[in-house]
Amino acid sequence: VGRGKGLGAAMLDRLLLDEARIRGIADGLRAVAAQADPVGTVVAEWDRPNGLHIRRVRTPIGVIGVIYESRPNVTADAGGLCLKSGNAAILRGGSESFHSSRAIHAALAAGLRAAELPETAIQLVPTRDRAAVGAMLTMTDFIDVIVPRGGRGLVERVQAEARVPVFAHLEGIVHIYVDRAAHLSKASRVILNAKTRRPGICGALECLLIDRALLDRKGAPFIAELIEAGVLVRGDATLQELPGVVPASETDW
Protein backbone atom coordinates (compact mmCIF):
# COMPACT_ATOMS: atom_id res chain seq x y z
CA VAL A 1 0.00 0.00 0.00
CA GLY A 2 2.78 2.40 0.93
CA ARG A 3 4.61 1.78 -2.33
CA GLY A 4 1.36 2.35 -4.21
CA LYS A 5 1.07 5.76 -2.56
CA GLY A 6 4.58 6.64 -3.68
CA LEU A 7 6.10 6.77 -0.20
CA GLY A 8 9.89 7.10 -0.11
CA ALA A 9 12.32 4.41 0.96
CA ALA A 10 12.94 6.01 4.37
CA MET A 11 9.22 6.14 5.16
CA LEU A 12 8.69 2.56 3.99
CA ASP A 13 11.53 1.49 6.26
CA ARG A 14 9.87 3.22 9.21
CA LEU A 15 6.60 1.44 8.49
CA LEU A 16 8.08 -2.02 7.96
CA LEU A 17 7.07 -4.65 10.50
CA ASP A 18 8.79 -7.95 9.79
CA GLU A 19 9.50 -10.79 12.20
CA ALA A 20 12.70 -9.18 13.49
CA ARG A 21 11.03 -5.82 14.11
CA ILE A 22 8.10 -7.43 15.94
CA ARG A 23 10.51 -9.46 18.05
CA GLY A 24 12.32 -6.21 18.86
CA ILE A 25 9.06 -4.59 19.97
CA ALA A 26 8.31 -7.53 22.27
CA ASP A 27 11.85 -7.53 23.66
CA GLY A 28 11.57 -3.79 24.32
CA LEU A 29 8.39 -4.29 26.33
CA ARG A 30 10.02 -7.08 28.32
CA ALA A 31 12.98 -4.81 29.07
CA VAL A 32 10.65 -2.10 30.36
CA ALA A 33 8.74 -4.63 32.45
CA ALA A 34 11.99 -5.87 34.00
CA GLN A 35 12.98 -2.43 35.26
CA ALA A 36 12.48 -1.51 38.89
CA ASP A 37 9.12 0.08 39.70
CA PRO A 38 9.79 3.84 39.71
CA VAL A 39 6.59 4.79 41.55
CA GLY A 40 7.24 5.63 45.19
CA THR A 41 11.01 5.77 44.82
CA VAL A 42 12.58 8.35 47.15
CA VAL A 43 14.84 10.51 45.00
CA ALA A 44 16.15 12.66 47.84
CA GLU A 45 15.38 13.43 51.46
CA TRP A 46 16.71 15.88 53.99
CA ASP A 47 15.96 17.58 57.32
CA ARG A 48 15.40 21.29 57.75
CA PRO A 49 16.88 23.14 60.75
CA ASN A 50 13.37 23.38 62.26
CA GLY A 51 13.14 19.56 62.28
CA LEU A 52 10.91 19.26 59.20
CA HIS A 53 11.77 16.12 57.25
CA ILE A 54 11.35 16.49 53.47
CA ARG A 55 11.31 13.73 50.86
CA ARG A 56 11.18 13.96 47.09
CA VAL A 57 9.20 10.95 45.86
CA ARG A 58 8.50 9.81 42.30
CA THR A 59 4.79 9.79 41.52
CA PRO A 60 2.83 9.30 38.29
CA ILE A 61 1.92 12.37 36.22
CA GLY A 62 -1.54 11.12 35.30
CA VAL A 63 -2.74 10.91 31.70
CA ILE A 64 -0.03 11.34 29.08
CA GLY A 65 -0.96 12.14 25.50
CA VAL A 66 1.66 10.97 23.00
CA ILE A 67 1.47 12.33 19.44
CA TYR A 68 3.88 10.68 17.04
CA GLU A 69 4.52 10.17 13.38
CA SER A 70 4.35 6.96 11.37
CA ARG A 71 6.58 4.64 13.35
CA PRO A 72 4.33 1.83 14.63
CA ASN A 73 6.77 0.58 17.27
CA VAL A 74 6.20 3.82 19.20
CA THR A 75 2.69 2.57 19.99
CA ALA A 76 4.20 -0.23 22.08
CA ASP A 77 7.12 1.81 23.43
CA ALA A 78 4.99 4.73 24.64
CA GLY A 79 2.19 2.53 25.98
CA GLY A 80 4.60 0.31 27.88
CA LEU A 81 6.63 3.16 29.38
CA CYS A 82 3.52 5.04 30.51
CA LEU A 83 2.06 1.91 32.10
CA LYS A 84 5.32 1.04 33.86
CA SER A 85 5.50 4.52 35.38
CA GLY A 86 1.91 4.34 36.65
CA ASN A 87 0.42 6.64 34.02
CA ALA A 88 -2.42 6.23 31.57
CA ALA A 89 -1.69 6.91 27.90
CA ILE A 90 -3.67 8.32 24.99
CA LEU A 91 -1.73 7.58 21.79
CA ARG A 92 -2.14 9.23 18.41
CA GLY A 93 0.11 7.83 15.69
CA GLY A 94 0.64 8.84 12.09
CA SER A 95 -1.94 8.02 9.44
CA GLU A 96 0.44 5.87 7.38
CA SER A 97 0.88 3.42 10.27
CA PHE A 98 -2.77 3.49 11.34
CA HIS A 99 -3.51 -0.21 10.79
CA SER A 100 -0.21 -1.41 12.27
CA SER A 101 -0.70 0.75 15.35
CA ARG A 102 -4.23 -0.64 15.78
CA ALA A 103 -2.89 -4.20 15.66
CA ILE A 104 -0.17 -3.41 18.20
CA HIS A 105 -2.69 -1.64 20.45
CA ALA A 106 -4.98 -4.67 20.29
CA ALA A 107 -2.11 -6.81 21.54
CA LEU A 108 -1.47 -4.34 24.38
CA ALA A 109 -5.15 -4.41 25.32
CA ALA A 110 -5.08 -8.21 25.42
CA GLY A 111 -2.08 -8.03 27.73
CA LEU A 112 -3.85 -5.57 30.02
CA ARG A 113 -6.87 -7.89 30.22
CA ALA A 114 -4.65 -10.87 31.00
CA ALA A 115 -2.98 -8.91 33.79
CA GLU A 116 -6.39 -7.80 35.12
CA LEU A 117 -5.55 -4.15 34.49
CA PRO A 118 -7.99 -1.65 32.97
CA GLU A 119 -7.84 -1.70 29.17
CA THR A 120 -8.36 2.05 29.14
CA ALA A 121 -4.91 2.51 30.70
CA ILE A 122 -3.56 2.55 27.12
CA GLN A 123 -5.87 4.11 24.54
CA LEU A 124 -5.34 4.68 20.83
CA VAL A 125 -7.12 7.52 19.03
CA PRO A 126 -9.31 5.58 16.57
CA THR A 127 -9.20 8.01 13.64
CA ARG A 128 -6.79 9.39 11.07
CA ASP A 129 -8.50 12.78 11.15
CA ARG A 130 -5.92 15.51 11.84
CA ALA A 131 -8.56 17.32 13.90
CA ALA A 132 -7.95 14.71 16.61
CA VAL A 133 -4.51 16.19 17.22
CA GLY A 134 -5.98 19.65 17.72
CA ALA A 135 -8.55 18.24 20.12
CA MET A 136 -5.88 16.50 22.21
CA LEU A 137 -3.85 19.69 22.47
CA THR A 138 -6.72 21.51 24.19
CA MET A 139 -8.04 18.71 26.44
CA THR A 140 -6.82 20.28 29.68
CA ASP A 141 -9.52 18.49 31.71
CA PHE A 142 -8.45 15.05 30.53
CA ILE A 143 -4.74 15.10 29.59
CA ASP A 144 -2.01 16.19 31.99
CA VAL A 145 0.90 16.45 29.56
CA ILE A 146 1.52 16.03 25.82
CA VAL A 147 4.66 14.39 24.45
CA PRO A 148 5.23 14.96 20.70
CA ARG A 149 7.63 12.61 18.97
CA GLY A 150 8.43 13.44 15.38
CA GLY A 151 9.81 16.00 13.00
CA ARG A 152 10.04 19.76 13.24
CA GLY A 153 6.60 20.40 11.72
CA LEU A 154 4.81 18.21 14.24
CA VAL A 155 6.67 19.58 17.26
CA GLU A 156 6.22 23.20 16.18
CA ARG A 157 2.48 22.66 15.74
CA VAL A 158 2.18 21.08 19.18
CA GLN A 159 4.12 23.87 20.83
CA ALA A 160 2.09 26.55 19.04
CA GLU A 161 -1.38 25.13 19.66
CA ALA A 162 -1.16 23.22 22.94
CA ARG A 163 -3.06 24.35 26.01
CA VAL A 164 -1.91 21.21 27.79
CA PRO A 165 1.68 21.28 29.16
CA VAL A 166 4.19 19.85 26.67
CA PHE A 167 7.41 17.87 26.97
CA ALA A 168 9.07 18.66 23.65
CA HIS A 169 12.25 18.60 21.65
CA LEU A 170 12.49 20.52 18.39
CA GLU A 171 15.27 19.04 16.31
CA GLY A 172 17.71 16.20 16.59
CA ILE A 173 21.35 17.15 17.01
CA VAL A 174 22.96 13.87 16.08
CA HIS A 175 26.68 14.61 16.08
CA ILE A 176 29.68 12.33 16.28
CA TYR A 177 33.02 13.83 17.30
CA VAL A 178 36.21 12.02 16.22
CA ASP A 179 39.02 12.94 18.60
CA ARG A 180 42.71 13.01 17.71
CA ALA A 181 43.19 9.93 19.91
CA ALA A 182 40.37 7.95 18.30
CA HIS A 183 40.87 4.35 17.20
CA LEU A 184 40.38 4.79 13.46
CA SER A 185 38.94 1.40 12.57
CA LYS A 186 36.52 1.52 15.50
CA ALA A 187 35.53 5.11 14.65
CA SER A 188 34.89 4.05 11.04
CA ARG A 189 32.59 1.22 12.13
CA VAL A 190 30.65 3.51 14.46
CA ILE A 191 30.25 6.27 11.86
CA LEU A 192 29.20 3.96 9.04
CA ASN A 193 26.69 2.19 11.28
CA ALA A 194 25.28 5.45 12.66
CA LYS A 195 24.66 6.87 9.19
CA THR A 196 23.78 3.91 6.99
CA ARG A 197 22.15 1.24 9.16
CA ARG A 198 18.77 3.03 9.11
CA PRO A 199 19.04 6.50 7.56
CA GLY A 200 15.34 7.22 8.09
CA ILE A 201 15.35 7.21 11.89
CA CYS A 202 15.74 10.31 14.03
CA GLY A 203 18.92 8.92 15.60
CA ALA A 204 20.81 8.65 12.31
CA LEU A 205 24.05 10.61 12.12
CA GLU A 206 23.62 14.19 10.90
CA CYS A 207 26.91 15.95 11.52
CA LEU A 208 30.46 14.64 11.79
CA LEU A 209 33.03 16.71 13.67
CA ILE A 210 36.68 15.78 13.13
CA ASP A 211 39.62 16.90 15.25
CA ARG A 212 41.92 18.75 12.85
CA ALA A 213 44.95 17.11 14.48
CA LEU A 214 43.57 13.69 13.53
CA LEU A 215 42.95 14.85 9.97
CA ASP A 216 46.49 16.24 9.67
CA ARG A 217 48.15 13.09 11.05
CA LYS A 218 46.00 10.21 9.84
CA GLY A 219 43.48 11.59 7.38
CA ALA A 220 39.81 10.63 7.43
CA PRO A 221 39.31 7.22 5.78
CA PHE A 222 35.74 7.08 7.10
CA ILE A 223 34.82 9.91 4.69
CA ALA A 224 35.73 7.73 1.72
CA GLU A 225 33.84 4.82 3.26
CA LEU A 226 30.69 6.95 3.63
CA ILE A 227 30.90 8.09 0.01
CA GLU A 228 31.49 4.51 -1.16
CA ALA A 229 28.35 3.49 0.77
CA GLY A 230 26.32 6.04 -1.17
CA VAL A 231 26.24 8.86 1.38
CA LEU A 232 26.37 12.44 0.09
CA VAL A 233 29.04 14.12 2.22
CA ARG A 234 28.88 17.90 2.50
CA GLY A 235 32.01 19.40 4.01
CA ASP A 236 33.69 22.65 4.97
CA ALA A 237 36.55 24.14 2.97
CA THR A 238 39.11 21.74 4.47
CA LEU A 239 37.14 18.58 3.80
CA GLN A 240 36.24 19.69 0.27
CA GLU A 241 39.82 18.82 -0.66
CA LEU A 242 38.91 15.14 -0.21
CA PRO A 243 37.59 13.30 -3.29
CA GLY A 244 33.80 13.20 -3.50
CA VAL A 245 33.07 15.80 -0.81
CA VAL A 246 30.74 18.60 -1.95
CA PRO A 247 30.57 22.09 -0.42
CA ALA A 248 28.36 22.55 2.64
CA SER A 249 26.08 25.58 2.77
CA GLU A 250 25.14 27.67 5.82
CA THR A 251 21.78 25.89 6.02
CA ASP A 252 23.58 22.53 6.37
CA TRP A 253 24.98 23.70 9.70
Side-chain angles (χ1 to χ4, degrees):
V1 175
R3 289 188 180 90
K5 290 184 176 180
L7 299 180
M11 175 59 79
L12 290 172
D13 179 63
R14 293 180 187 182
L15 295 173
L16 176 66
L17 283 178
D18 56 15
E19 184 178 349
R21 294 264 178 97
I22 293 171
R23 189 182 304 114
I25 290 172
D27 289 344
L29 286 172
R30 292 188 183 100
V32 170
Q35 294 177 6
D37 185 356
V39 178
T41 301
V42 177
V43 179
E45 58 183 320
W46 63 94
D47 292 311
R48 297 290 298 156
N50 62 359
L52 180 65
H53 183 69
I54 299 174
R55 296 196 306 167
R56 185 179 296 133
V57 182
R58 287 195 174 114
T59 60
I61 293 172
V63 178
I64 299 178
V66 186
I67 301 172
Y68 50 99
E69 292 178 336
S70 294
R71 197 186 300 279
N73 63 289
V74 178
T75 302
D77 294 344
L81 286 166
C82 288
L83 185 71
K84 180 68 179 186
S85 53
N87 297 286
I90 299 177
L91 311 175
R92 204 285 183 179
S95 60
E96 293 87 353
S97 62
F98 183 70
H99 295 298
S100 297
S101 292
R102 288 184 69 183
I104 292 170
H105 177 257
L108 295 175
L112 290 167
R113 286 195 300 271
E116 298 183 349
L117 293 170
E119 287 185 46
T120 51
I122 303 175
Q123 301 178 41
L124 184 71
V125 175
T127 176
R128 289 173 165 159
D129 192 336
R130 287 175 58 86
V133 173
M136 287 180 67
L137 298 179
T138 58
M139 294 175 66
T140 53
D141 290 339
F142 304 100
I143 298 177
D144 295 290
V145 68
I146 292 283
V147 180
R149 177 172 172 175
R152 184 186 183 98
L154 170 66
V155 178
E156 284 184 336
R157 180 190 175 189
V158 169
Q159 290 179 320
E161 299 181 16
R163 298 296 176 266
V164 179
V166 174
F167 291 153
H169 67 91
L170 188 56
E171 292 180 287
I173 310 177
V174 187
H175 287 50
I176 287 180
Y177 167 64
V178 191
D179 188 73
R180 66 189 64 191
H183 188 292
L184 270 184
S185 63
K186 183 181 292 185
S188 293
R189 292 196 302 273
V190 169
I191 291 165
L192 200 63
N193 177 274
K195 184 61 183 176
T196 65
R197 184 179 67 86
R198 287 189 66 193
I201 62 174
C202 56
L205 174 61
E206 294 175 341
C207 186
L208 185 61
L209 303 173
I210 305 168
D211 190 326
R212 187 176 295 273
L214 174 76
L215 189 67
D216 292 342
R217 287 191 295 109
K218 298 183 179 180
F222 36 80
I223 297 293
E225 292 172 4
L226 286 169
I227 293 171
E228 185 178 348
V231 176
L232 176 62
V233 178
R234 302 177 186 271
D236 63 9
T238 301
L239 291 178
Q240 287 168 36
E241 298 175 3
L242 300 177
V245 177
V246 302
S249 65
E250 284 301 315
T251 57
D252 289 322
W253 307 118

